[in-house]
């Protein structure tokens, strides 16, 4: 192993907090959620939620990307 290699580090404190939270929550909840919603009758809500998330969220996300690409500035300066 080369001794001149630098270790990777997180660039911000919030990144570390989000990474720690993601590890603490784990993938178990991601896999368990569809099972629990189907078992207790929440599948209709989840399907409607995903439908509206895509129909309303996709155009907003596209607008955000286009504003950022066109302005070539920071978030505050672009708006």
């Amino acid at each position: 192993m080369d001794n001149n290699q630098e270790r990777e580090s997180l660039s911000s404190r919030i990144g570390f907090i989000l990474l720690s939270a993601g590890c603490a929550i784990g993938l178990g909840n991601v896999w368990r959620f569809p099972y629990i919603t189907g078992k207790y009758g929440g599948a209709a809500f989840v399907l409607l939620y995903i439908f509206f998330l895509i129909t309303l969220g996709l155009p907003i996300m596209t607008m955000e990307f286009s504003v950022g690409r066109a302005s070539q500035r920071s978030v505050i300066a672009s708006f």
Side-chain angles (χ1 to χ4, degrees):
M1 183 171 176
D2 189 10
N3 290 334
N4 293 333
Q5 289 180 337
E6 291 185 30
R7 293 181 64 183
E8 293 182 16
S9 62
L10 296 172
S11 61
S12 68
R13 187 176 189 98
I14 190 73
F16 174 74
I17 292 171
L18 291 174
L19 180 68
S20 299
C23 291
I25 293 169
L27 286 175
N29 290 327
V30 173
W31 292 112
R32 186 173 169 246
F33 178 72
Y35 170 74
I36 295 296
T37 55
K39 183 178 178 182
Y40 294 111
F45 167 75
V46 172
L47 290 175
L48 282 172
Y49 179 79
I50 290 172
F51 172 75
F52 283 112
L53 180 69
I54 291 170
T55 57
L56 297 175
L58 197 59
I60 293 172
M61 185 179 72
T62 304
M63 188 245 348
E64 292 278 345
F65 284 148
S66 63
V67 166
R69 187 173 292 269
S71 70
Q72 300 269 323
R73 296 192 221 160
S74 68
V75 176
I76 302 297
S78 65
F79 286 102

